[in-house]
Amino acid sequence: MAAIDLNLVRVFVTLYDARSVTLAAERLHVTQPSVSYALSRLRDLFGDRLFVRSRDGMQPTFTAMQLYPALRDSLAQIDSVLEGSKEFEPRHSQKRFRLALTDLGEMALLPRILAHLHAQAPGTELEVVPLEIDKVEDWLATGQVNAAICSRPIQAAGVERRVLLSDERYVCLLNRDHVSIGDSLSLEQFIQARHAVVAASTGHGLAEDVLRKQGLQRKVSLKVSHFSSLPRILQESDLLAILPEQIASAFALEAPLKVLDLPFEVPPFDVALHWQAHTTRSPAQRWFCDGIVEAITRA
């Protein structure tokens, strides 16, 4: 097989991640016909269709699935070496960074991060990607995001971790005038009450894990995708919700809500920044991660 063009490798990896010619073209900042032409060349090189159109997008063939890990890792290493050779001047940079973050992170951390980064690099762009805890490991490995902030540790090889907030804890948030719960919450009241639950994809599932291990079941009446919708829901209902204390206290200052201790033990947790270790060869990546750490830990 002839030597493969690096640009074709980039198209292959991007198309594999995006599962869409349109999205791949957007991420590569090229036209859709350019991606289609590159795919045609890739098919000739490997003697395989590589991707097949389906109702769920461009699905990789078995050959593509075999090729992907090696090509992805090789491309990441090459990009890391190339980035490491470039100078980075924050004041004059127009670079875009992508950060995976929950809506809680957007409310509690993003203003500080944005203010700190733009004070040093006003021309840079920050794109926030809604965190999906089951996908973030792949996002970091493939370079879809520069970094991710979450409370659940990412254990993948090659991922660096830096704690931003330590010893956070979960509490219960509910209507200040709840009809049956006063200034404290018993386990019986907790079990009997109706609850609002936020999607596990946010990574905030530690309390759920504890309940499951203790064999406790609660009445879940509502499941939502974002924590930010809870204040309005809780103040107009008798539902209970489990949230990190810092954001629950902030919600209680702005709405007729109250914060109570949970009637069972949940270990404290850390909120940490995660990134792929090899990317720190890039001066821009180092600046970005260091800036986030500084913005949060020195605030």
Side-chain angles (χ1 to χ4, degrees):
M1 185 181 72
I4 186 170
D5 185 333
L6 181 60
N7 289 324
L8 293 181
V9 175
R10 196 175 303 282
V11 169
F12 173 86
V13 170
T14 305
L15 185 54
Y16 192 102
D17 293 334
R19 305 297 169 94
S20 162
V21 171
T22 302
L23 289 177
E26 289 178 0
R27 292 180 185 178
L28 293 167
H29 305 290
V30 298
T31 64
Q32 292 183 43
S34 296
V35 173
S36 297
Y37 175 70
L39 178 56
S40 177
R41 290 183 60 194
L42 284 162
R43 285 168 168 165
D44 289 341
L45 278 169
F46 292 107
D48 186 86
R49 296 180 68 187
L50 297 179
F51 297 94
V52 180
R53 293 188 184 277
S54 74
R55 295 170 62 182
D56 298 320
M58 299 291 285
Q59 296 302 310
T61 64
F62 179 72
T63 297
M65 288 188 281
Q66 288 184 307
L67 291 169
Y68 175 73
L71 293 181
R72 176 198 64 193
D73 294 346
S74 297
L75 182 62
Q77 290 180 9
I78 291 171
D79 283 343
S80 178
V81 171
L82 294 176
E83 283 290 325
S85 66
K86 295 179 182 177
E87 293 185 3
F88 178 72
E89 178 52 56
R91 281 281 168 197
H92 305 295
S93 177
Q94 302 291 318
K95 188 174 178 62
R96 171 197 275 188
F97 297 94
R98 303 181 88 227
L99 176 66
L101 201 58
T102 65
D103 65 321
L104 280 186
E106 290 184 25
M107 290 183 284
L109 306 178
L110 186 57
R112 284 183 275 174
I113 293 171
L114 192 62
H116 185 85
L117 297 183
H118 280 183
Q120 297 184 21
T124 56
E125 177 185 347
L126 178 60
E127 179 183 354
V128 175
V129 179
L131 179 72
E132 294 184 52
I133 198 66
D134 293 334
K135 297 181 180 179
V136 71
E137 185 179 313
D138 285 338
W139 290 353
L140 291 170
T142 59
Q144 291 186 60
V145 297
N146 294 90
I149 296 176
C150 55
S151 60
R152 182 156 293 191
I154 300 172
Q155 306 288 0
V159 173
E160 294 281 347
R161 180 174 181 266
R162 186 78 179 274
V163 173
L164 302 176
L165 301 171
S166 58
D167 294 328
E168 282 281 280
R169 71 187 192 110
Y170 287 107
V171 295
C172 188
L173 186 67
L174 63 158
N175 190 312
R176 186 185 298 161
D177 300 317
H178 196 284
V179 293
S180 61
I181 299 174
D183 295 331
S184 62
L185 180 63
S186 70
L187 183 58
E188 182 180 1
Q189 288 173 319
F190 180 88
I191 296 299
Q192 292 299 320
R194 300 191 305 151
H195 293 257
V197 176
V198 180
S201 60
T202 61
H204 286 278
L206 184 57
E208 298 294 331
D209 294 341
V210 171
L211 287 170
R212 196 177 302 111
K213 288 178 181 177
Q214 295 185 8
L216 298 173
Q217 287 189 329
R218 53 180 172 154
K219 299 177 181 178
V220 176
S221 297
L222 175 69
K223 290 187 178 181
V224 295
S225 300
H226 306 288
F227 285 95
S228 54
S229 63
L230 288 177
R232 184 68 179 269
I233 291 169
L234 297 180
Q235 72 184 62
E236 296 183 6
S237 71
D238 63 350
L239 299 178
L240 278 60
I242 297 176
L243 289 85
E245 183 177 28
Q246 184 179 111
I247 199 70
S249 298
F251 284 160
L253 289 175
E254 299 176 358
L257 303 169
K258 58 185 175 185
V259 178
L260 300 178
D261 289 338
L262 292 171
F264 53 92
E265 288 293 324
V266 178
F269 63 94
D270 298 331
V271 176
L273 177 70
H274 301 79
W275 69 93
Q276 206 71 30
H278 69 77
T279 62
T280 52
R281 296 173 186 166
S282 161
Q285 175 76 359
R286 285 199 303 274
W287 172 85
F288 179 63
C289 292
D290 289 346
I292 292 174
V293 172
E294 187 173 351
I296 303 304
T297 60
R298 299 186 182 180

